[in-house]
Short mmCIF file of all heavy atoms in Angstrom, two decimals:
data_model
loop_
_atom_site.label_atom_id
_atom_site.label_comp_id
_atom_site.label_asym_id
_atom_site.label_seq_id
_atom_site.Cartn_x
_atom_site.Cartn_y
_atom_site.Cartn_z
N LYS L 195 113.29 216.87 -174.43
CA LYS L 195 113.35 215.43 -174.70
C LYS L 195 113.12 214.68 -173.39
O LYS L 195 113.07 215.28 -172.31
CB LYS L 195 114.69 215.05 -175.30
CG LYS L 195 115.89 215.31 -174.41
CD LYS L 195 117.18 214.92 -175.12
CE LYS L 195 118.39 215.12 -174.22
NZ LYS L 195 119.65 214.71 -174.90
N ASN L 196 112.96 213.38 -173.45
CA ASN L 196 112.77 212.56 -172.26
C ASN L 196 114.10 211.98 -171.82
O ASN L 196 114.92 211.57 -172.64
CB ASN L 196 111.79 211.42 -172.54
CG ASN L 196 110.38 211.92 -172.76
OD1 ASN L 196 110.06 213.06 -172.44
ND2 ASN L 196 109.53 211.09 -173.32
N ASN L 197 114.30 211.96 -170.49
CA ASN L 197 115.53 211.34 -169.99
C ASN L 197 115.36 209.83 -169.96
O ASN L 197 114.35 209.27 -170.41
CB ASN L 197 115.90 211.91 -168.61
CG ASN L 197 114.83 211.59 -167.57
OD1 ASN L 197 113.95 210.76 -167.78
ND2 ASN L 197 114.91 212.27 -166.44
N SER L 198 116.35 209.12 -169.42
CA SER L 198 116.34 207.65 -169.44
C SER L 198 115.19 207.06 -168.64
O SER L 198 114.81 205.91 -168.85
CB SER L 198 117.67 207.12 -168.91
OG SER L 198 117.89 207.59 -167.58
N ASP L 199 114.62 207.85 -167.73
CA ASP L 199 113.52 207.37 -166.91
C ASP L 199 112.16 207.79 -167.47
O ASP L 199 111.14 207.61 -166.83
CB ASP L 199 113.69 207.87 -165.48
CG ASP L 199 113.00 206.98 -164.47
OD1 ASP L 199 112.72 205.82 -164.82
OD2 ASP L 199 112.72 207.44 -163.36
N GLY L 200 112.17 208.43 -168.65
CA GLY L 200 110.92 208.80 -169.28
C GLY L 200 110.36 210.15 -168.88
O GLY L 200 109.29 210.54 -169.32
N LYS L 201 111.09 210.90 -168.05
CA LYS L 201 110.60 212.19 -167.58
C LYS L 201 111.03 213.31 -168.51
O LYS L 201 112.21 213.39 -168.87
CB LYS L 201 111.12 212.46 -166.17
CG LYS L 201 110.59 213.74 -165.55
CD LYS L 201 111.10 213.89 -164.13
CE LYS L 201 110.60 215.18 -163.51
NZ LYS L 201 111.11 215.37 -162.14
N PRO L 202 110.11 214.20 -168.93
CA PRO L 202 110.49 215.29 -169.84
C PRO L 202 111.46 216.26 -169.16
O PRO L 202 111.25 216.67 -168.03
CB PRO L 202 109.17 215.98 -170.15
CG PRO L 202 108.11 215.02 -169.74
CD PRO L 202 108.68 214.21 -168.63
N VAL L 203 112.51 216.61 -169.83
CA VAL L 203 113.46 217.60 -169.33
C VAL L 203 113.79 218.57 -170.46
O VAL L 203 113.69 218.23 -171.63
CB VAL L 203 114.77 216.95 -168.81
CG1 VAL L 203 114.50 216.09 -167.60
CG2 VAL L 203 115.43 216.13 -169.90
N THR L 204 114.17 219.78 -170.09
CA THR L 204 114.59 220.77 -171.08
C THR L 204 116.10 220.89 -171.04
O THR L 204 116.68 221.14 -170.00
CB THR L 204 113.95 222.13 -170.80
OG1 THR L 204 112.53 221.99 -170.84
CG2 THR L 204 114.39 223.17 -171.82
N VAL L 205 116.71 220.69 -172.17
CA VAL L 205 118.17 220.77 -172.27
C VAL L 205 118.53 222.05 -173.01
O VAL L 205 118.04 222.31 -174.10
CB VAL L 205 118.74 219.55 -173.02
CG1 VAL L 205 120.25 219.65 -173.12
CG2 VAL L 205 118.33 218.26 -172.31
N LEU L 206 119.37 222.86 -172.40
CA LEU L 206 119.78 224.12 -173.00
C LEU L 206 121.23 224.03 -173.45
O LEU L 206 122.03 223.32 -172.86
CB LEU L 206 119.64 225.26 -171.99
CG LEU L 206 118.21 225.51 -171.53
CD1 LEU L 206 118.20 226.45 -170.34
CD2 LEU L 206 117.39 226.10 -172.66
N PRO L 207 121.59 224.74 -174.50
CA PRO L 207 122.97 224.74 -174.96
C PRO L 207 123.92 225.26 -173.90
O PRO L 207 123.50 225.91 -172.94
CB PRO L 207 122.95 225.68 -176.17
CG PRO L 207 121.52 225.78 -176.56
CD PRO L 207 120.74 225.60 -175.31
N ALA L 208 125.19 224.98 -174.06
CA ALA L 208 126.19 225.48 -173.13
C ALA L 208 126.15 227.01 -173.12
O ALA L 208 125.73 227.63 -174.09
CB ALA L 208 127.57 224.98 -173.54
N MET L 209 126.57 227.60 -172.05
CA MET L 209 126.65 229.05 -171.88
C MET L 209 125.31 229.70 -171.57
O MET L 209 125.21 230.90 -171.48
CB MET L 209 127.26 229.74 -173.12
CG MET L 209 128.68 229.32 -173.43
SD MET L 209 129.85 229.91 -172.21
CE MET L 209 129.79 231.68 -172.52
N GLN L 210 124.24 228.93 -171.41
CA GLN L 210 122.95 229.56 -171.15
C GLN L 210 122.15 228.76 -170.13
O GLN L 210 121.84 227.59 -170.35
CB GLN L 210 122.13 229.69 -172.44
CG GLN L 210 120.72 230.19 -172.21
CD GLN L 210 120.71 231.64 -171.77
OE1 GLN L 210 121.55 232.40 -172.19
NE2 GLN L 210 119.77 232.02 -170.95
N ALA L 211 121.84 229.39 -169.01
CA ALA L 211 120.97 228.78 -168.02
C ALA L 211 119.56 229.31 -168.18
O ALA L 211 119.35 230.42 -168.64
CB ALA L 211 121.49 229.07 -166.61
N ALA L 212 118.55 228.50 -167.81
CA ALA L 212 117.16 228.95 -167.92
C ALA L 212 116.92 230.13 -166.97
O ALA L 212 116.24 231.08 -167.33
CB ALA L 212 116.21 227.80 -167.59
N VAL L 213 117.44 230.04 -165.77
CA VAL L 213 117.32 231.11 -164.78
C VAL L 213 118.69 231.30 -164.15
O VAL L 213 119.33 230.32 -163.76
CB VAL L 213 116.29 230.76 -163.69
CG1 VAL L 213 116.27 231.82 -162.61
CG2 VAL L 213 114.90 230.61 -164.30
N ILE L 214 119.17 232.54 -164.07
CA ILE L 214 120.48 232.80 -163.49
C ILE L 214 120.34 233.48 -162.14
O ILE L 214 119.28 233.98 -161.79
CB ILE L 214 121.34 233.67 -164.43
CG1 ILE L 214 120.74 235.08 -164.56
CG2 ILE L 214 121.52 233.01 -165.78
CD1 ILE L 214 121.62 236.07 -165.29
N PHE L 215 121.43 233.52 -161.38
CA PHE L 215 121.45 234.20 -160.09
C PHE L 215 121.60 235.69 -160.35
O PHE L 215 122.30 236.10 -161.28
CB PHE L 215 122.61 233.67 -159.24
CG PHE L 215 122.44 233.93 -157.77
CD1 PHE L 215 121.53 233.19 -157.03
CD2 PHE L 215 123.17 234.91 -157.13
CE1 PHE L 215 121.36 233.43 -155.67
CE2 PHE L 215 123.00 235.16 -155.78
CZ PHE L 215 122.11 234.41 -155.04
N PRO L 216 120.95 236.56 -159.54
CA PRO L 216 120.99 237.99 -159.84
C PRO L 216 122.32 238.69 -159.50
O PRO L 216 122.47 239.87 -159.80
CB PRO L 216 119.85 238.55 -158.98
CG PRO L 216 119.69 237.57 -157.88
CD PRO L 216 120.00 236.25 -158.47
N PHE L 217 123.26 238.01 -158.85
CA PHE L 217 124.58 238.57 -158.57
C PHE L 217 125.65 237.78 -159.31
O PHE L 217 125.47 236.58 -159.58
CB PHE L 217 124.93 238.49 -157.08
CG PHE L 217 124.14 239.39 -156.18
CD1 PHE L 217 124.29 239.30 -154.80
CD2 PHE L 217 123.25 240.32 -156.67
CE1 PHE L 217 123.57 240.11 -153.95
CE2 PHE L 217 122.52 241.14 -155.83
CZ PHE L 217 122.68 241.03 -154.46
N LYS L 218 126.77 238.43 -159.61
CA LYS L 218 127.94 237.70 -160.10
C LYS L 218 128.82 237.24 -158.94
O LYS L 218 129.71 236.41 -159.12
CB LYS L 218 128.76 238.58 -161.06
CG LYS L 218 128.14 238.74 -162.43
CD LYS L 218 129.12 239.27 -163.45
CE LYS L 218 129.54 240.69 -163.17
NZ LYS L 218 130.38 241.25 -164.26
N VAL L 219 128.57 237.77 -157.75
CA VAL L 219 129.34 237.41 -156.56
C VAL L 219 128.41 236.74 -155.56
O VAL L 219 127.18 236.91 -155.62
CB VAL L 219 129.99 238.65 -155.92
CG1 VAL L 219 130.98 239.28 -156.88
CG2 VAL L 219 128.93 239.67 -155.51
N LYS L 220 128.98 235.99 -154.64
CA LYS L 220 128.15 235.35 -153.62
C LYS L 220 127.63 236.40 -152.64
O LYS L 220 128.36 237.30 -152.24
CB LYS L 220 128.98 234.32 -152.85
CG LYS L 220 129.25 233.04 -153.61
CD LYS L 220 129.90 232.02 -152.72
CE LYS L 220 130.09 230.69 -153.44
NZ LYS L 220 130.70 229.67 -152.56
N PRO L 221 126.35 236.31 -152.23
CA PRO L 221 125.82 237.23 -151.22
C PRO L 221 126.57 237.06 -149.90
O PRO L 221 127.12 235.99 -149.62
CB PRO L 221 124.36 236.80 -151.08
CG PRO L 221 124.06 236.02 -152.31
CD PRO L 221 125.33 235.36 -152.71
N LEU L 222 126.59 238.10 -149.09
CA LEU L 222 127.25 238.03 -147.79
C LEU L 222 126.49 237.10 -146.84
O LEU L 222 127.06 236.64 -145.84
CB LEU L 222 127.36 239.43 -147.17
CG LEU L 222 128.20 240.44 -147.97
CD1 LEU L 222 128.20 241.78 -147.28
CD2 LEU L 222 129.61 239.92 -148.15
N ASN L 223 125.21 236.84 -147.13
CA ASN L 223 124.46 235.90 -146.30
C ASN L 223 124.33 234.54 -146.99
O ASN L 223 123.35 233.83 -146.82
CB ASN L 223 123.08 236.46 -145.93
CG ASN L 223 122.23 236.83 -147.13
OD1 ASN L 223 122.75 237.12 -148.21
ND2 ASN L 223 120.93 236.84 -146.95
N GLU L 224 125.34 234.19 -147.77
CA GLU L 224 125.47 232.86 -148.34
C GLU L 224 126.11 231.95 -147.29
O GLU L 224 126.66 232.42 -146.29
CB GLU L 224 126.35 232.93 -149.60
CG GLU L 224 126.55 231.63 -150.35
CD GLU L 224 125.27 231.15 -151.01
OE1 GLU L 224 124.93 231.61 -152.10
OE2 GLU L 224 124.61 230.30 -150.38
N LYS L 225 126.05 230.65 -147.49
CA LYS L 225 126.69 229.72 -146.58
C LYS L 225 128.18 230.03 -146.52
O LYS L 225 128.85 230.15 -147.53
CB LYS L 225 126.48 228.29 -147.07
CG LYS L 225 127.07 227.23 -146.15
CD LYS L 225 126.77 225.83 -146.67
CE LYS L 225 127.35 224.78 -145.74
NZ LYS L 225 127.08 223.40 -146.24
#
């Protein structure tokens, strides 16, 4: 759907991201 500014966005249901991080924990070279 379009957001308030007219730009198309994809909205996904709760519990599902389009792309997830490959770890469940933060990498050791994270901030």
Side-chain angles (χ1 to χ4, degrees):
K195 63 181 182 179
N196 292 344
N197 63 13
S198 58
D199 205 19
K201 184 177 179 181
V203 295
T204 300
V205 180
L206 297 169
M209 298 291 292
Q210 174 69 33
V213 175
I214 66 171
F215 200 74
F217 290 174
K218 285 196 292 186
V219 297
K220 285 187 176 182
L222 298 179
N223 57 335
E224 182 68 83
K225 182 178 181 181

